C-alpha cells in the first residue's frame, strides 16, 4: 500500500510529497507485477487446457474459465516474503538516508519488492563471503537479496575493485 510506504519514509525524515510519490510509484509497480503474473498464469492455464483438451475436437476459447486461485496464492506468498520495512532497514544499514531511499524507490521501485535478507542459516555474516554467480549462496533458492546486492556493490565493487 502506498500509504504504508509513505509513512515508513516519513518516519525516516522524508518530506510528505516525496514519500507519497515514492509510495505511489512502488504501489503502481506492485500492481503491474501482479497483473502480469495473473495474465501469464491465465495464458499458461488456457494453453494447458487447449493442449490437453483438443485431441481432435474443437475447443471454444471464449468459454475457457481461467482461475486466479494460484495467482492470488502467489500474491499472498509474495506479501509475506517481501517486507518494505525490512528493505528500508537494510538500506539505512548501508548508509542511505530517508531521502536517498525515497529517490531509489521513485526511480527503481523494484528495489522495494526485493527480499531484504536471506534466512539466518545462510546470512552473509555467517558465511563471510560476497555472493558471486558461481557461489552457492547466490544461486540457492529465491534469487539474490537486497543485502547481497548492496554488499557486492559497496564492498565488492566500490571499496574492493575501485578502491573508493
Amino acid at each position: 500500500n502506498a500509504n504504508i510506504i509513505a509513512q515508513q519514509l516519513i518516519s525516516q525524515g522524508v518530506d510528505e510529497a516525496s514519500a507519497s510519490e515514492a509510495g505511489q510509484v512502488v504501489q503502481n509497480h506492485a500492481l503491474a507485477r501482479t497483473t502480469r503474473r495473473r495474465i501469464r498464469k491465465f495464458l499458461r492455464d488456457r494453453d494447458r487446457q487447449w493442449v490437453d483438451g483438443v485431441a481432435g475436437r474443437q475447443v471454444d476459447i471464449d468459454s475457457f474459465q481461467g482461475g486466479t486461485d494460484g495467482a492470488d496464492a502467489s500474491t499472498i506468498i509474495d506479501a509475506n516474503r517481501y517486507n518494505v520495512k525490512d528493505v528500508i532497514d537494510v538500506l539505512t544499514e548501508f548508509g542511505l538516508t530517508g531521502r536517498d531511499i525515497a529517490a531509489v524507490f521513485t526511480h527503481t521501485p523494484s528495489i522495494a519488492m526485493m527480499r531484504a535478507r536471506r534466512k539466518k542459516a545462510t546470512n552473509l555474516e555467517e558465511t563471510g563471503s560476497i555472493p558471486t554467480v558461481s557461489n552457492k549462496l547466490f544461486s540457492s533458492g529465491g534469487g539474490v537479496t537486497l543485502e547481497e546486492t548492496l554488499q557486492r556493490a559497496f564492498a565488492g565493487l566500490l571499496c574492493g575493485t575501485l578502491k573508493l
Side-chain angles (χ1 to χ4, degrees), residues 101-160:
I101 296 169
V104 167
F105 284 178
T106 300
H107 296 287
T108 315
S110 59
I111 296 289
M113 304 292 292
M114 288 183 78
R115 189 171 43 161
R117 302 177 197 280
R118 212 164 273 288
K119 294 199 185 320
K120 282 285 189 199
T122 57
N123 207 349
L124 283 175
E125 292 82 23
E126 294 175 15
T127 61
S129 65
I130 298 172
T132 62
V133 175
S134 62
N135 191 341
K136 275 186 159 184
L137 178 64
F138 177 81
S139 61
S140 64
V144 180
T145 66
L146 177 61
E147 183 179 37
E148 293 165 357
T149 301
L150 292 173
Q151 185 70 26
R152 275 196 332 254
F154 288 147
L157 178 64
L158 295 176
C159 296

Side-chain angles (χ1 to χ4, degrees), residues 5-23 88 92 96-106:
I5 295 168
Q7 290 303 316
Q8 293 288 334
L9 292 172
I10 289 170
S11 72
Q12 295 288 325
V14 179
D15 63 285
E16 194 170 326
S18 297
S20 295
E21 179 185 8
I88 291 172
T92 55
L96 276 71
T97 65
R99 288 181 56 186
D100 297 335
I101 296 169
V104 167
F105 284 178
T106 300

Side-chain angles (χ1 to χ4, degrees), residues 1-8 19-20 22-24 26-28 30-31 84 113:
N1 182 318
N3 293 329
I4 293 171
I5 295 168
Q7 290 303 316
Q8 293 288 334
S20 295
Q24 192 61 46
V26 170
Q27 180 176 348
N28 290 343
L31 290 173
V84 174
M113 304 292 292

Side-chain angles (χ1 to χ4, degrees), residues 9-110:
L9 292 172
I10 289 170
S11 72
Q12 295 288 325
V14 179
D15 63 285
E16 194 170 326
S18 297
S20 295
E21 179 185 8
Q24 192 61 46
V25 169
V26 170
Q27 180 176 348
N28 290 343
H29 175 76
L31 290 173
R33 180 178 168 176
T34 301
T35 301
R36 284 190 305 271
R37 284 183 176 181
R38 287 181 177 175
I39 290 170
R40 280 194 303 268
K41 182 187 181 325
F42 171 83
L43 292 173
R44 191 173 39 250
D45 291 348
R46 184 202 61 191
D47 292 346
R48 188 174 302 121
Q49 183 176 357
W50 180 269
V51 169
D52 292 344
V54 171
R57 59 189 160 97
Q58 193 71 356
V59 175
D60 183 16
I61 280 294
D62 294 330
S63 68
F64 175 69
Q65 298 291 321
T68 58
D69 295 341
D72 290 340
S74 69
T75 304
I76 292 168
I77 291 168
D78 283 351
N80 292 333
R81 195 167 52 175
Y82 306 116
N83 183 345
V84 174
K85 173 76 171 111
D86 292 341
V87 168
I88 291 172
D89 289 345
V90 168
L91 290 170
T92 55
E93 287 172 16
F94 276 86
L96 276 71
T97 65
R99 288 181 56 186
D100 297 335
I101 296 169
V104 167
F105 284 178
T106 300
H107 296 287
T108 315
S110 59

